[in-house]
Amino acid sequence: MGVTDMTVSRWKTNKIQPSMAQFVKIARLLRVDIKGLLEVDFDAEGKII
């Protein structure tokens, strides 16, 4: 996808989020509906979990 390991690490720890274009690429690579990637859950403080 042309992103660094550091970028993926930041995605995984919710420090940053992929751009919409990156979400589209991820969905295509995983062969999943993008809607499933965009569904999120929040903790008691309103942070994405």
Side-chain angles (χ1 to χ4, degrees), residues 9-31:
S9 175
R10 289 178 180 160
W11 290 347
K12 291 169 70 174
T13 58
N14 291 318
K15 292 182 179 172
I16 62 170
Q17 297 297 313
S19 69
M20 188 54 67
Q22 290 167 323
F23 273 119
V24 171
K25 287 180 183 179
I26 293 167
R28 286 183 181 154
L29 286 170
L30 297 176
R31 297 181 180 171

Side-chain angles (χ1 to χ4, degrees), residues 30-47:
L30 297 176
R31 297 181 180 171
V32 298
D33 183 12
I34 194 168
K35 184 178 175 182
L37 290 178
L38 298 176
E39 292 176 2
V40 295
D41 292 317
F42 297 91
D43 66 13
E45 296 174 359
K47 294 182 181 177

